[in-house]
Amino acid sequence: MIEKDFVKEGLRRTRIDEYLEKELERAGYGGMEVQITPLGTMVIVYAERPGMVIGRGGKNVRTITNTLKTEFGLDNPQIEVKEVEVPELNPKIMAYKISNMLQRGMHFRRVAYSTIRRIMGAGAQGVEVTISGKIRGSRSAVAKFVEGYIKKCGEPSIRFVEEGFATAELKPGVLGIYVRIMPPDTVLPDSVEILPPKVIIEEDGEVTEEEIDVETEEIIEEEIIEEVEDLEELEEVIEEEVVEEESTEEVEEEDS
């Protein structure tokens, strides 16, 4: 019975998500959260344009609240609207934008590359855009565009990678658009932090540790390399002068 309850709750949340995505498509719907409280059910809606979610005089919010109560059986639903701070890092919003551009007749490669540039410019660690359907002709195909570092498998790909999906209805058929983004603040389990080296200094019986500045070390190494290059150039010049002197001496001996 407990497993059935979990399945029913998951299906209900999926249906609510699909309903909100359809109703708030123009508002830049970016996902939702359902929290059960003692006073009722709190539904947090993330959108790019919160004003369109609320509507004039709160008309849209009241309509959505009544629908959630009557059709989906939520107990005393309360809707809280939050604005998405960085829309470029929300995969649902970006997938919807790709769908809009494709429906306006733009080429899928141009749309994908421009979207990837925007997402990576916002600071994402990695992004993957997949467009599938009749994109080149009468036969279905899949085009995948990847940039940066993004996890493809394992538990980190489920926990840390956010995914969004949208569809674009064109004359040849319906295209499916998947956008997967790895946020900039993601810390993977296998990440390693390299600490700066330390030098132990003994003065009057006291032992102290000092960190070595890596930048100063690099500057010193560059100066040493430049000095070595200058010495090599001097040696080459001296060798050339010696060779010239020897050749002039040999010519003088032949003339004599």
Side-chain angles (χ1 to χ4, degrees):
M1 291 297 294
I2 296 175
E3 290 83 358
K4 289 183 179 179
D5 292 338
F6 277 118
V7 172
K8 286 182 181 179
E9 184 65 25
L11 288 173
R12 183 166 67 174
R13 294 194 181 199
T14 303
R15 288 173 56 216
I16 292 171
D17 187 35
E18 291 177 352
Y19 164 73
L20 292 175
E21 185 176 0
K22 185 178 179 181
E23 289 291 322
L24 307 175
E25 190 175 11
R26 294 180 58 215
Y29 176 70
M32 65 97 187
E33 292 180 5
V34 178
Q35 299 176 357
I36 298 174
T37 63
L39 299 176
T41 306
M42 176 69 72
V43 180
I44 303 172
V45 178
Y46 298 95
E48 187 179 4
R49 295 178 287 276
M52 296 184 68
V53 179
I54 297 170
R56 185 173 296 176
K59 182 179 178 181
N60 290 348
V61 169
R62 286 195 295 270
T63 303
I64 294 171
T65 302
N66 292 331
T67 305
L68 293 177
K69 186 176 181 179
T70 55
E71 293 188 11
F72 298 100
L74 294 183
D75 183 21
N76 189 19
Q78 299 174 0
I79 296 177
E80 181 181 354
V81 184
K82 290 186 178 181
E83 183 179 1
V84 179
E85 295 181 358
V86 187
E88 288 79 10
L89 296 178
N90 189 295
K92 284 181 177 289
I93 294 175
M94 298 313 293
Y96 173 69
K97 288 183 181 296
I98 292 173
S99 172
N100 275 345
M101 287 188 281
L102 291 174
Q103 287 175 352
R104 278 189 250 136
M106 296 179 66
H107 194 266
F108 71 96
R109 289 186 184 278
R110 182 181 176 187
V111 171
Y113 285 124
S114 62
T115 305
I116 286 174
R117 281 196 299 271
R118 288 181 60 186
I119 295 172
M120 294 300 291
Q125 292 190 26
V127 58
E128 180 184 86
V129 176
T130 305
I131 303 174
S132 57
K134 295 180 180 180
I135 53 179
R136 295 189 183 92
S138 59
R139 298 187 65 178
S140 296
V142 178
K144 188 177 291 185
F145 308 89
V146 184
E147 188 169 340
Y149 180 76
I150 188 167
K151 279 287 185 182
K152 294 293 189 68
C153 61
E155 190 254 353
S157 66
I158 300 172
R159 279 184 58 193
F160 302 121
V161 179
E162 300 177 1
E163 184 174 317
F165 174 75
T167 58
E169 296 181 1
L170 305 180
K171 287 184 179 179
V174 179
L175 302 183
I177 302 152
Y178 282 94
V179 179
R180 302 175 73 240
I181 300 174
M182 182 175 282
D185 55 349
T186 302
V187 180
L188 297 174
D190 57 350
S191 63
V192 178
E193 182 182 358
I194 300 175
L195 299 175
K198 294 182 179 180
V199 177
I200 299 173
I201 302 173
E202 293 185 5
E203 292 182 357
D204 300 332
E206 294 182 358
V207 179
T208 57
E209 292 185 357
E210 292 185 0
E211 292 185 357
I212 299 174
D213 193 357
V214 179
E215 292 182 358
T216 56
E217 277 196 346
E218 290 179 354
I219 293 169
I220 292 168
E221 287 180 359
E222 288 177 359
E223 290 177 354
I224 292 169
I225 291 167
E226 288 178 358
E227 289 178 0
V228 171
E229 289 177 352
D230 293 339
L231 287 172
E232 289 178 353
E233 289 178 0
L234 283 172
E235 288 178 357
E236 289 178 358
V237 171
I238 291 167
E239 287 178 358
E240 288 177 358
E241 289 179 354
V242 170
V243 171
E244 287 178 359
E245 289 178 358
E246 289 178 354
S247 60
T248 52
E249 288 177 359
E250 289 178 357
V251 171
E252 288 177 356
E253 288 178 358
E254 288 177 359
D255 293 338
S256 62

